[in-house]
């Protein structure tokens, strides 16, 4: 027997609520032999695979991360400054104006831009063409510009609200045609918005995240909104830029979450670079930006919300900020460059074989072109992380197959944006096609995804994992937040090898989300052969607590299937055949329960829901524990 890879063993932790004390350590994973002795899995009626054996069980003193360190904060410090600059920063924080500090004996300069920013980010040309035709196109839904109420108190679904108040549409408009052909449309929409939002106030337009994103978009696309012949509009826009920057100076730290705070600090720094007498503001903003980055991102570069969409937004904002530095012939602070280097690898770890993203924490299957364009704009050249210890996603690449596994607690309530109860769910793709997926798309609710199903898409049943008693492993509440449930997850990753040279990656994880309600710990073992043709799984329910509980509880193991996967159920109710668009066939076999084919849906990267199917293993299990074995194997190319 030969050991061919190193062993990873660690515990990640999170708290159910911000004010709770850290819970006890997670239940340790037992040796493979011990687990089998407690609940021996039934044999799977499938061709016998090459025998694989685990490497040596790790010692008792294996590395363990303490509870609450599952996304430990990364330390960032402001750029080095002189004593004088620190005094200027302190004075600006106290409320002394920038012109007074920068040039105390000179009349304040009129608002103007000191440089032209060339944003490397690319927009959606289809959405930009729709704007020129007279309507916003948000996740497939058209909203005529003439019928949109731009006032701060107007009710809009979240995607449309963000589009009109954060001005994300500017990037799309500039991508669809030469700038001269788009200026009139930009001035028309911008003028209508300024008429409804003349002064800072309350409401959606003046959420910190929207205001920060809006100001950064104005700087990045200034030639589009200032390049027309309307001098009155130009002066109004410049005055609004300065006024918004002053408002953000006072309100950046009051953001709803760290992602919005990051947008605000990026906008403040950009204003300090591009508006006259801005050095005091820049010094103030760089200190706040460094603090916000350290509080938003974990040690391995994953954002605390665990959302791929939030990861992409952070990369986009820092990329545009770096472009603002370059426009003024300044080098971005080392913290900005370091953060971009940290953010890209975790994002790439959630890409499948075709380059598109997996569906995690509200994200849809964002296209490979969108991900590649963002990474290219960032200027970072790197490889995906295989083992994101802090962010919590495990990635295994085997042959043409890519396995993604959520092996961490959900984000804390204060960090969650579209929080999902997805612990121990997985996705599997083979080549350019997805075999097993999660539904995803809750962040797109309000477009073609109805708002009424948003909470359902965040639930455990919308993910490819086990559900007990038809309840979520972590409570899903309103406004994208999460309640109590999974507090700790323990993960053990290792490589197994056989005498004939065949090998596989084995990941074992457990969570305590159902302990308080039904007294059972869910433990999942996934073994993916290194040729990518076979995935073996075992889901175990282990009793927990001092007192055993009697009776039975209903369970359901769900495997949501990718788009265009054709399913044929077996005659014995224990198997199914999956046909992929490339002509290959896969067999799914289970040892327990009844296997049924049911309807499901899957949301793509443009927010379009697609009808798909799911395999469901369900039945009743004793509160004394149980186990369910299954096999997904390629049987014909």
């Amino acid at each position: 027997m030969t050991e061919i890879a190193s062993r990873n063993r660690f515990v990640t932790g999170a708290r159910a609520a911000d004010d709770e004390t850290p819970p006890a350590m997670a239940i340790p994973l037992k040796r493979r032999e011990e687990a089998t002795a407690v609940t021996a899995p039934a044999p799977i009626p499938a061709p016998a695979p090459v025998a694989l054996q685990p490497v040596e069980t790790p010692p008792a003193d294996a590395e363990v991360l303490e509870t609450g360190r599952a996304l430990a904060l990364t330390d960032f410090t402001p750029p080095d400054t002189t004593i004088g600059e620190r005094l200027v920063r302190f004075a600006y924080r106290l409320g002394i104006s920038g012109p007074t500090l920068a040039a105390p004996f000179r009349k304040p300069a009129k608002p103007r831009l000191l440089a032209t920013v060339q944003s490397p980010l690319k927009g959606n040309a289809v959405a930009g063409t729709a704007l020129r035709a007279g309507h916003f196109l948000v996740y497939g839904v058209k909203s005529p510009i003439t019928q949109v109420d731009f006032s701060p108190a107007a009710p809009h679904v979240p995607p449309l609200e963000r589009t009109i108040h954060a001005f994300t549409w500017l990037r799309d408009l500039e991508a669809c045609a030469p700038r001269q052909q788009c200026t009139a449309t930009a001035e028309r929409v911008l003028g209508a918005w300024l008429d409804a939002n003349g002064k800072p106030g309350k409401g959606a337009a003046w959420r910190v995240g929207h205001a920060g994103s809006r100001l950064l978009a104005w700087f990045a696309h200034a030639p589009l909104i200032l390049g027309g012949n309307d001098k009155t509009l130009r002066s109004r826009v410049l005055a609004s830029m300065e006024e918004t920057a002053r408002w953000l100076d006072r309100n950046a730290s009051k953001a709803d979450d760290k992602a919005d705070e990051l947008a605000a600090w990026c906008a403040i720094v950009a204003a300090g670079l591009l508006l006259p007498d801005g050095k005091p503001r820049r010094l103030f903003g760089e200190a706040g930006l460094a603090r916000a980055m350290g509080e938003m991102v974990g040690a391995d570069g994953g954002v605390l919300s665990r959302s791929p969409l939030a990861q992409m937004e952070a990369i986009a904002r820092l990329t545009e900020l770096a472009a603002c530095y370059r426009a003024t012939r300044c080098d971005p602070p080392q913290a900005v460059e370091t953060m971009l280097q940290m953010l890209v690898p975790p994002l790439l770890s959630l890409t499948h074989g075709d380059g598109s993203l997996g569906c995690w924490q509200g994200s849809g299957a964002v296209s490979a072109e969108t991900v590649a364009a963002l990474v290219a704009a960032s200027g970072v050249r790197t490889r995906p992380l295989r083992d994101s210890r802090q962010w919590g996603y495990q990635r295994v690449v085997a042959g043409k197959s890519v396995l993604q596994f959520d092996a961490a607690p959900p984000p804390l309530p204060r960090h969650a944006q579209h929080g999902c109860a997805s612990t121990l769910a997985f996705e599997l793709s083979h080549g350019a096609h997805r075999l097993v997926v999660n539904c995803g798309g809750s962040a797109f609710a309000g477009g073609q995804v109805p708002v009424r199903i948003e909470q359902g898409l965040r639930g455990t049943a919308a993910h490819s994992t086990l559900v007990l008693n038809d309840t979520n492993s972590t409570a899903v509440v309103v406004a994208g937040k999460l309640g109590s449930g999974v507090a700790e997850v323990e993960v053990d990753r290792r490589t197994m090898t056989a005498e004939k040279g065949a090998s596989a990656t084995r990941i074992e994880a457990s969570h305590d989300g159902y302990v308080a309600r039904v007294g059972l710990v869910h433990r999942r073992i996934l073994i993916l052969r290194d040729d990518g043709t076979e995935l073996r799984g075992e889901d175990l329910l282990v009793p927990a607590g001092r007192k055993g509980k009697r009776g039975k509880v209903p369970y359901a193991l769900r495997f949501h299937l990718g788009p265009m996967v054709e399913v044929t159920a077996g005659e014995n109710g224990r198997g199914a055949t999956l046909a992929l668009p490339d002509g290959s066939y896969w067999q799914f076999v289970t040892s327990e329960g009844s296997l049924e084919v049911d309807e499901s849906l899957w949301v793509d990267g443009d927010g379009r829901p697609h009808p798909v199917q799911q395999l469901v293993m369900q039945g009743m299990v004793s509160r004394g524990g149980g186990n369910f074995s299954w096999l997904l194997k390629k049987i014909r190319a």
Side-chain angles (χ1 to χ4, degrees):
M1 203 60 57
T2 305
E3 180 176 336
I4 61 173
S6 62
R7 173 265 312 156
N8 293 324
R9 184 178 176 84
F10 53 93
V11 176
T12 55
R15 291 187 294 276
D18 295 353
D19 56 351
E20 293 181 5
T21 57
M25 299 304 292
I27 295 176
L29 294 178
K30 299 180 180 179
R31 295 173 182 258
R32 173 67 173 158
E33 295 78 5
E34 294 175 355
T36 305
V38 174
T39 51
I44 296 177
V50 177
L52 296 171
Q53 298 294 332
V55 299
E56 183 179 357
T57 303
D61 58 351
E63 178 186 1
V64 174
L65 300 185
E66 296 178 1
T67 303
R69 286 179 54 198
L71 292 177
L73 301 184
T74 303
D75 294 327
F76 281 88
T77 57
D80 293 335
T81 55
T82 64
I83 295 177
E85 289 176 334
R86 287 196 290 271
L87 289 174
V88 169
R89 177 189 297 158
F90 178 73
Y92 192 83
R93 187 183 299 117
L94 292 179
I96 301 176
S97 68
T100 300
L101 293 170
F105 304 108
R106 176 169 56 82
K107 183 179 179 181
K110 293 183 179 180
R112 62 188 179 91
L113 291 186
L114 303 179
T116 300
V117 180
Q118 298 293 330
S119 175
L121 301 178
K122 304 299 181 183
N124 186 327
V126 175
T129 303
L131 273 166
R132 294 183 62 204
H135 52 259
F136 293 105
L137 180 64
V138 183
Y139 296 141
V141 176
K142 295 181 180 180
S143 299
I145 296 174
T146 55
Q147 299 178 16
V148 171
D149 186 352
F150 292 96
S151 63
H156 296 296
V157 294
L160 180 60
E161 176 185 287
R162 182 176 181 274
T163 298
I164 63 178
H165 291 308
F167 277 68
T168 58
W169 55 268
L170 280 175
R171 190 184 304 160
D172 300 333
L173 185 61
E174 192 152 27
C176 74
R179 184 175 296 158
Q180 297 81 359
Q181 300 179 20
C182 302
T183 300
T185 301
E187 290 181 339
R188 173 191 174 194
V189 180
L190 178 59
W193 189 91
L194 289 173
D195 290 340
N197 301 274
K199 296 292 181 181
K202 297 181 179 180
W206 295 102
R207 286 182 53 191
V208 172
H210 289 165
S213 298
R214 177 170 66 247
L215 183 57
L216 196 58
W218 284 353
F219 289 139
H221 304 282
L224 187 61
I225 58 178
L226 299 176
N229 298 321
D230 191 339
K231 296 182 179 180
T232 301
L233 178 63
R234 186 183 306 124
S235 62
R236 289 178 67 193
V237 174
L238 290 170
S240 185
M241 285 179 175
E242 179 60 46
E243 196 167 31
T244 302
R246 287 197 300 269
W247 184 86
L248 286 172
D249 289 342
R250 302 187 301 271
N251 294 279
S253 59
K254 301 176 184 177
D256 295 336
D257 55 42
K258 293 302 176 183
D260 287 350
E261 186 175 345
L262 179 72
W265 288 115
C266 286
I268 290 171
V269 174
L273 290 165
L274 298 170
L275 295 178
D277 301 326
K279 184 176 180 179
R281 174 177 282 137
R282 176 180 62 80
L283 294 173
F284 167 72
E286 286 175 343
L289 177 63
R291 183 177 62 254
M293 290 190 298
E295 294 174 352
M296 178 185 176
V297 178
D300 59 5
V303 295
L304 300 189
S305 66
R306 304 192 64 223
S307 167
L309 292 180
Q311 194 88 0
M312 293 181 68
E313 287 182 2
I315 294 171
R317 285 163 179 165
L318 292 177
T319 298
E320 281 195 326
L321 178 60
C324 294
Y325 275 99
R326 290 191 292 270
T328 57
R329 299 182 180 180
C330 296
D331 292 328
Q334 186 60 42
V336 173
E337 298 288 350
T338 300
M339 180 56 68
L340 282 172
Q341 294 285 343
M342 291 179 63
L343 287 169
V344 174
L347 177 69
L348 294 178
S349 71
L350 294 184
T351 55
H352 282 286
D354 61 353
S356 60
L357 287 180
C359 298
W360 300 103
Q361 294 298 320
S363 172
V366 177
S367 69
E369 293 77 11
T370 301
V371 175
L374 177 63
V375 173
S378 72
V380 177
R381 300 294 180 266
T382 185
R383 294 181 179 181
L385 281 185
R386 184 192 72 165
D387 181 359
S388 303
R389 291 193 173 204
Q390 304 296 333
W391 206 24
Y393 296 106
Q394 296 285 328
R395 172 187 175 90
V396 182
V397 179
K400 294 183 178 180
S401 297
V402 176
L403 173 70
Q404 298 174 8
F405 187 35
D406 184 358
L412 295 175
R414 66 175 178 269
H415 298 307
Q417 294 181 330
H418 306 280
C420 297
S422 59
T423 310
L424 301 197
F426 77 95
E427 290 198 350
L428 178 69
S429 63
H430 185 74
H433 305 291
R434 300 182 184 223
L435 268 168
V436 180
V437 299
N438 301 309
C439 295
S442 61
F444 302 150
Q448 294 186 61
V449 176
V451 174
R452 66 179 182 274
I453 69 170
E454 183 260 350
Q455 280 191 267
L457 293 176
R458 295 165 53 208
T460 306
H463 299 81
S464 294
T465 186
L466 179 142
V467 181
L468 282 179
N469 207 23
D470 199 25
T471 58
N472 296 318
S473 58
T474 298
V476 173
V477 296
V478 297
K481 304 302 181 183
L482 296 169
S484 61
V486 177
E488 296 171 347
V489 174
E490 181 172 324
V491 184
D492 181 16
R493 176 171 177 155
R494 63 184 75 178
T495 298
M496 307 191 310
T497 183
E499 296 178 355
K500 294 183 179 180
S503 58
T505 300
R506 178 181 183 273
I507 305 177
E508 182 175 357
S510 66
H511 77 72
D512 60 352
Y514 292 113
V515 169
R517 285 165 285 180
V518 296
L520 293 171
V521 169
H522 176 206
R523 180 181 298 160
R524 168 164 275 186
I525 301 170
L526 299 178
I527 303 174
L528 180 64
R529 287 174 58 107
D530 279 356
D531 61 5
T533 61
E534 179 181 293
L535 175 65
R536 283 182 171 265
E538 184 178 357
D539 289 272
L540 302 96
L541 294 171
V542 181
R546 296 181 179 179
K547 297 181 180 180
K549 296 185 178 181
R550 298 180 179 178
K552 293 186 177 183
V553 61
Y555 73 89
L557 267 166
R558 299 182 181 275
F559 302 84
H560 300 272
L561 303 178
M564 296 184 292
V565 175
E566 298 181 1
V567 187
T568 303
E571 296 180 357
N572 60 357
R574 293 288 178 87
T577 302
L578 313 179
L580 270 61
D582 61 2
S584 63
Y585 285 85
W586 293 68
Q587 183 183 24
F588 183 91
V589 184
T590 176
S591 64
E592 299 289 339
S594 61
L595 184 66
E596 300 177 357
V597 179
D598 201 354
E599 296 180 347
S600 183
L601 65 83
W602 172 79
V603 182
D604 66 17
D606 294 322
R608 294 189 299 263
H610 298 263
V612 296
Q613 294 177 296
Q614 61 174 313
L615 299 176
V616 185
M617 297 167 51
Q618 56 187 346
M620 302 293 292
V621 63
S622 168
R623 291 181 184 240
N627 65 293
F628 317 98
S629 300
W630 48 270
L631 169 69
L632 183 59
K633 182 180 178 65
K634 187 177 183 181
I635 57 176
R636 193 170 70 190

